[in-house]
Amino acid sequence: HSFAMQDESDQAMAAYRTASRLFTGCHLPVLCTAIEYLRTNNITLAEQFCRQAKSMCATDPLVLNELGVVHYKQRRYQQSAECFREALNLCNNQPERLRSAWEPAMFNLGHAYRKLGRYKEAIHQYQAALSYAPKEASTYAALGLTYHLQGMLENAIQHYHNALGLKPEDTFSHEMIDKALTESYTTGNITIDDGFGGERDEFESTSKQKNTLGFSTPLPVRHSATQKTTTPPFSVHIPGQGQAS
């Protein structure tokens, strides 16, 4: 994990392989290898190792959250939502004090629902995530975007403001609040399109050209909370870990 946190991917992989040999049958080194492949954007190998980890321990919510992240990155949003839901279902019997560790899965499920156009369900998941992590600026930004997509500009602007209050340097929220304010003072119409009939993909590189929406910073998904203590932070939330994009 220390190597991964320092972007020493080769050394991190070597350490995970050693752990896998030493702890035969344990799915965690395999899962961490999948997460490292996700971090380096090798989605094919990430999916392979996620599926291997699932075959070793199908009841670990961490595995399901990471597999959901893999599906999300491949734009398989329905499968992604199913994985996040299953991860959360496995946590239903946990004590309330442990539920906060799975806030990332709630956040990620909100992303998947938003991509599917299921905005009310997305808002419900984001609000649930906020009940456990009220200081997450990215959750407010995601809520703002979801309201924005529905043409609810007042709610969108309020949530972008909340995001900027927690993270003033958030480029995404700055760009989107400017757009929402402009729309609210002109026609009120919203044109959130990437030129291909859909909203912008959060995982698109910020160094590439902007889409017609005009925002250049990706809105990240997160890795699980339980991984906060076991694996490095990534773009998508993993219950028990940190944040991922």
Side-chain angles (χ1 to χ4, degrees):
H1 297 333
S2 299
F3 285 134
M5 289 294 288
Q6 296 175 30
D7 291 330
E8 297 288 350
S9 186
D10 291 342
Q11 290 172 287
M13 291 290 198
Y16 292 142
R17 284 193 295 269
T18 300
S20 187
R21 288 195 301 270
L22 292 174
F23 300 97
T24 305
C26 178
H27 71 287
L28 289 176
V30 178
L31 177 61
C32 291
T33 301
I35 293 171
E36 187 62 18
Y37 278 126
L38 267 175
R39 191 181 69 82
T40 56
N41 209 33
N42 190 331
I43 308 302
T44 301
L45 284 176
E47 180 171 10
Q48 177 183 322
F49 278 87
C50 274
R51 293 191 181 281
Q52 183 182 342
K54 186 179 179 182
S55 70
M56 299 168 74
C57 186
T59 58
D60 185 350
L62 292 178
V63 175
L64 291 165
N65 187 79
E66 285 307 323
L67 187 56
V69 173
V70 169
H71 286 311
Y72 189 95
K73 282 181 173 269
Q74 294 179 315
R75 304 188 181 188
R76 301 195 296 243
Y77 302 123
Q78 187 61 50
Q79 296 96 313
S80 176
E82 289 170 2
C83 285
F84 296 139
R85 278 198 303 267
E86 189 175 351
L88 290 170
N89 287 338
L90 287 171
C91 305
N92 282 338
N93 295 326
Q94 290 187 348
E96 186 65 22
R97 61 187 175 81
L98 298 179
R99 288 280 293 169
S100 61
W102 302 99
E103 176 269 338
M106 301 172 196
F107 177 86
N108 292 346
L109 181 55
H111 269 8
Y113 280 149
R114 176 171 50 79
K115 286 292 192 178
L116 292 167
R118 297 163 62 175
Y119 298 129
K120 289 184 179 180
E121 292 166 283
I123 288 170
H124 175 76
Q125 291 301 321
Y126 290 140
Q127 290 174 337
L130 280 176
S131 70
Y132 290 104
K135 299 296 185 181
E136 281 288 354
S138 58
T139 307
Y140 285 106
L143 270 168
L145 177 59
T146 307
Y147 283 120
H148 202 155
L149 288 163
Q150 297 177 88
M152 302 170 69
L153 292 175
E154 186 175 346
N155 285 341
I157 290 168
Q158 181 60 55
H159 284 86
Y160 293 143
H161 267 303
N162 291 341
L164 290 169
L166 292 167
K167 188 178 180 182
E169 71 278 11
D170 183 0
T171 306
F172 175 83
S173 294
H174 271 295
E175 292 182 0
M176 294 309 295
I177 198 171
D178 286 346
K179 185 173 180 66
L181 287 169
T182 300
E183 290 167 357
S184 69
Y185 287 118
T186 54
T187 64
N189 294 326
I190 296 178
T191 306
I192 298 187
D193 194 312
D194 56 6
F196 299 92
E199 61 175 287
R200 176 184 180 280
D201 180 6
E202 290 96 84
F203 295 103
E204 188 174 294
S205 172
T206 59
S207 63
K208 297 181 181 178
Q209 71 276 11
K210 294 183 181 180
N211 61 9
T212 56
L213 253 188
F215 51 88
S216 58
T217 302
L219 182 64
V221 273
R222 304 174 192 149
H223 284 287
S224 25
T226 50
Q227 276 185 280
K228 275 183 179 175
T229 57
T230 58
T231 60
F234 300 96
S235 323
V236 183
H237 286 342
I238 301 174
Q241 202 171 334
Q243 174 176 342
S245 308

